[in-house]
Amino acid sequence: MNPASKIILWAFYGAGKSFAANGTPIVDLDSMHYGFTNVGSNPHDSKSQKLTNGIRVERNPEYPQNYIQAVRDSAAAIVLVNCEIPVLEQLENVVLYYPDLSLKQEYLKRYQKRGNHTSFIHMIEQDYEGMIRSLGRLPYPKYVSNEKK
């Protein structure tokens, strides 16, 4: 595939990347599987945040280069990503999708419902507004959702 025709869609946590990729010709590359070792098959399982089948999850020393390469090597026309902003800045043809500031409580409920670890939920609860404002300042095309699920 011509790299110039590939779209890298960065979407906020809980925006529906896994749901969108289910059964469609879209690839969902969860950075957790590249950034950590021994991650289970369900990255949203609270147990996979620290232990997977009794095995400690550790930072992968090959990250972020292994993730960037996987995104670039993907044959899909649309690649869904969820990486940190410094990693995102190393990719081309990026579009951002994130919620409006008014949807904070909606997104916190989503994280609880899908079983995210309480430390993740607390981090989002504390940093949501700053994260959304920071995304708004990035130099990429954006879609800001006002939609509740």
Side-chain angles (χ1 to χ4, degrees), residues 8-33:
I8 309 300
L9 179 60
W10 183 94
F12 199 76
Y13 315 101
K17 291 178 296 295
S18 298
F19 179 76
N22 189 17
T24 64
I26 298 172
V27 171
D28 180 8
L29 291 179
D30 190 328
S31 65
M32 181 175 281
H33 293 286

Short mmCIF file of all heavy atoms in Angstrom, two decimals, residues 8-33:
data_model
loop_
_atom_site.label_atom_id
_atom_site.label_comp_id
_atom_site.label_asym_id
_atom_site.label_seq_id
_atom_site.Cartn_x
_atom_site.Cartn_y
_atom_site.Cartn_z
N ILE A 8 -3.91 7.19 9.47
CA ILE A 8 -3.65 6.79 10.84
C ILE A 8 -4.67 7.53 11.70
O ILE A 8 -4.64 8.76 11.79
CB ILE A 8 -2.22 7.16 11.30
CG1 ILE A 8 -1.16 6.67 10.30
CG2 ILE A 8 -1.96 6.66 12.71
CD1 ILE A 8 -1.13 5.19 10.08
N LEU A 9 -5.58 6.80 12.29
CA LEU A 9 -6.63 7.40 13.10
C LEU A 9 -6.32 7.17 14.57
O LEU A 9 -6.37 6.04 15.06
CB LEU A 9 -8.01 6.83 12.75
CG LEU A 9 -9.18 7.36 13.56
CD1 LEU A 9 -9.33 8.87 13.38
CD2 LEU A 9 -10.46 6.65 13.15
N TRP A 10 -5.95 8.25 15.25
CA TRP A 10 -5.74 8.18 16.69
C TRP A 10 -7.07 8.53 17.34
O TRP A 10 -7.65 9.57 17.07
CB TRP A 10 -4.68 9.19 17.14
CG TRP A 10 -4.39 9.11 18.61
CD1 TRP A 10 -3.40 8.39 19.20
CD2 TRP A 10 -5.10 9.74 19.67
NE1 TRP A 10 -3.45 8.53 20.56
CE2 TRP A 10 -4.49 9.37 20.87
CE3 TRP A 10 -6.20 10.60 19.73
CZ2 TRP A 10 -4.93 9.81 22.11
CZ3 TRP A 10 -6.64 11.03 20.97
CH2 TRP A 10 -6.01 10.65 22.14
N ALA A 11 -7.54 7.63 18.20
CA ALA A 11 -8.82 7.87 18.87
C ALA A 11 -8.62 7.77 20.38
O ALA A 11 -7.84 6.95 20.87
CB ALA A 11 -9.87 6.88 18.40
N PHE A 12 -9.33 8.61 21.09
CA PHE A 12 -9.25 8.67 22.55
C PHE A 12 -9.64 7.32 23.15
O PHE A 12 -10.39 6.55 22.57
CB PHE A 12 -10.18 9.77 23.06
CG PHE A 12 -9.87 10.25 24.45
CD1 PHE A 12 -8.80 11.09 24.67
CD2 PHE A 12 -10.65 9.87 25.52
CE1 PHE A 12 -8.50 11.55 25.94
CE2 PHE A 12 -10.37 10.32 26.80
CZ PHE A 12 -9.30 11.16 27.02
N TYR A 13 -9.13 7.07 24.33
CA TYR A 13 -9.44 5.84 25.06
C TYR A 13 -10.95 5.70 25.20
O TYR A 13 -11.63 6.61 25.63
CB TYR A 13 -8.83 5.87 26.46
CG TYR A 13 -7.41 6.36 26.51
CD1 TYR A 13 -7.11 7.65 26.89
CD2 TYR A 13 -6.36 5.52 26.14
CE1 TYR A 13 -5.80 8.11 26.94
CE2 TYR A 13 -5.05 5.97 26.17
CZ TYR A 13 -4.77 7.26 26.58
OH TYR A 13 -3.49 7.71 26.60
N GLY A 14 -11.49 4.54 24.80
CA GLY A 14 -12.91 4.29 24.94
C GLY A 14 -13.77 4.87 23.83
O GLY A 14 -14.99 4.86 23.92
N ALA A 15 -13.13 5.36 22.75
CA ALA A 15 -13.90 5.97 21.66
C ALA A 15 -14.50 4.94 20.71
O ALA A 15 -15.31 5.29 19.86
CB ALA A 15 -13.02 6.94 20.87
N GLY A 16 -14.11 3.68 20.84
CA GLY A 16 -14.70 2.64 20.01
C GLY A 16 -13.79 2.06 18.96
O GLY A 16 -14.26 1.50 17.96
N LYS A 17 -12.47 2.14 19.14
CA LYS A 17 -11.53 1.60 18.15
C LYS A 17 -11.74 0.10 17.94
O LYS A 17 -11.85 -0.35 16.81
CB LYS A 17 -10.08 1.86 18.57
CG LYS A 17 -9.67 3.32 18.51
CD LYS A 17 -8.26 3.53 18.97
CE LYS A 17 -8.00 3.20 20.42
NZ LYS A 17 -8.68 4.02 21.41
N SER A 18 -11.78 -0.65 19.01
CA SER A 18 -11.94 -2.10 18.89
C SER A 18 -13.27 -2.45 18.25
O SER A 18 -13.37 -3.36 17.43
CB SER A 18 -11.83 -2.77 20.26
OG SER A 18 -10.56 -2.53 20.80
N PHE A 19 -14.32 -1.74 18.62
CA PHE A 19 -15.64 -1.96 18.05
C PHE A 19 -15.64 -1.65 16.55
O PHE A 19 -16.17 -2.40 15.74
CB PHE A 19 -16.68 -1.09 18.77
CG PHE A 19 -18.07 -1.24 18.23
CD1 PHE A 19 -18.82 -2.36 18.55
CD2 PHE A 19 -18.61 -0.28 17.40
CE1 PHE A 19 -20.12 -2.50 18.05
CE2 PHE A 19 -19.89 -0.42 16.90
CZ PHE A 19 -20.65 -1.54 17.22
N ALA A 20 -15.01 -0.55 16.15
CA ALA A 20 -14.98 -0.16 14.74
C ALA A 20 -14.21 -1.16 13.91
O ALA A 20 -14.55 -1.42 12.75
CB ALA A 20 -14.35 1.24 14.59
N ALA A 21 -13.16 -1.73 14.45
CA ALA A 21 -12.31 -2.65 13.70
C ALA A 21 -12.90 -4.05 13.61
O ALA A 21 -12.46 -4.86 12.80
CB ALA A 21 -10.92 -2.73 14.32
N ASN A 22 -13.89 -4.35 14.40
CA ASN A 22 -14.47 -5.69 14.43
C ASN A 22 -15.24 -5.98 13.15
O ASN A 22 -16.30 -5.43 12.92
CB ASN A 22 -15.39 -5.82 15.65
CG ASN A 22 -15.85 -7.25 15.87
OD1 ASN A 22 -15.27 -8.19 15.33
ND2 ASN A 22 -16.88 -7.40 16.65
N GLY A 23 -14.67 -6.82 12.29
CA GLY A 23 -15.35 -7.25 11.08
C GLY A 23 -15.21 -6.30 9.91
O GLY A 23 -15.91 -6.44 8.92
N THR A 24 -14.35 -5.32 9.98
CA THR A 24 -14.15 -4.39 8.88
C THR A 24 -12.68 -4.41 8.44
O THR A 24 -11.83 -4.88 9.18
CB THR A 24 -14.54 -2.95 9.30
OG1 THR A 24 -13.65 -2.54 10.34
CG2 THR A 24 -15.97 -2.86 9.76
N PRO A 25 -12.38 -3.88 7.25
CA PRO A 25 -10.99 -3.88 6.78
C PRO A 25 -10.16 -2.76 7.41
O PRO A 25 -9.45 -2.03 6.73
CB PRO A 25 -11.13 -3.71 5.27
CG PRO A 25 -12.40 -2.96 5.10
CD PRO A 25 -13.30 -3.43 6.23
N ILE A 26 -10.30 -2.62 8.70
CA ILE A 26 -9.55 -1.63 9.48
C ILE A 26 -8.68 -2.42 10.45
O ILE A 26 -9.13 -3.41 11.01
CB ILE A 26 -10.50 -0.71 10.26
CG1 ILE A 26 -11.40 0.08 9.33
CG2 ILE A 26 -9.73 0.22 11.18
CD1 ILE A 26 -12.48 0.87 10.04
N VAL A 27 -7.46 -1.96 10.68
CA VAL A 27 -6.59 -2.62 11.65
C VAL A 27 -6.53 -1.78 12.92
O VAL A 27 -6.32 -0.57 12.85
CB VAL A 27 -5.17 -2.81 11.06
CG1 VAL A 27 -4.21 -3.30 12.12
CG2 VAL A 27 -5.21 -3.77 9.90
N ASP A 28 -6.74 -2.43 14.05
CA ASP A 28 -6.64 -1.78 15.36
C ASP A 28 -5.34 -2.24 16.00
O ASP A 28 -5.23 -3.37 16.44
CB ASP A 28 -7.85 -2.18 16.22
CG ASP A 28 -7.83 -1.54 17.60
OD1 ASP A 28 -6.98 -0.67 17.86
OD2 ASP A 28 -8.69 -1.91 18.42
N LEU A 29 -4.33 -1.37 16.01
CA LEU A 29 -3.04 -1.71 16.60
C LEU A 29 -2.94 -1.09 17.99
O LEU A 29 -2.63 0.08 18.14
CB LEU A 29 -1.88 -1.22 15.71
CG LEU A 29 -1.72 -1.95 14.39
CD1 LEU A 29 -0.56 -1.37 13.59
CD2 LEU A 29 -1.50 -3.44 14.62
N ASP A 30 -3.25 -1.89 18.98
CA ASP A 30 -3.22 -1.44 20.37
C ASP A 30 -1.77 -1.34 20.82
O ASP A 30 -1.05 -2.33 20.85
CB ASP A 30 -3.99 -2.43 21.24
CG ASP A 30 -4.22 -1.92 22.64
OD1 ASP A 30 -3.37 -1.16 23.16
OD2 ASP A 30 -5.25 -2.28 23.23
N SER A 31 -1.34 -0.15 21.19
CA SER A 31 0.06 0.06 21.57
C SER A 31 0.47 -0.74 22.80
O SER A 31 1.64 -1.04 22.99
CB SER A 31 0.34 1.54 21.80
OG SER A 31 -0.39 2.03 22.90
N MET A 32 -0.50 -1.14 23.64
CA MET A 32 -0.17 -1.92 24.83
C MET A 32 0.55 -3.23 24.45
O MET A 32 1.45 -3.67 25.15
CB MET A 32 -1.42 -2.23 25.64
CG MET A 32 -1.10 -3.02 26.91
SD MET A 32 -2.52 -3.27 27.95
CE MET A 32 -2.58 -1.67 28.74
N HIS A 33 0.15 -3.82 23.33
CA HIS A 33 0.76 -5.08 22.92
C HIS A 33 2.18 -4.89 22.39
O HIS A 33 2.90 -5.87 22.23
CB HIS A 33 -0.11 -5.78 21.88
CG HIS A 33 -1.41 -6.23 22.45
ND1 HIS A 33 -1.54 -7.30 23.30
CD2 HIS A 33 -2.66 -5.71 22.33
CE1 HIS A 33 -2.79 -7.44 23.67
NE2 HIS A 33 -3.50 -6.49 23.10
#
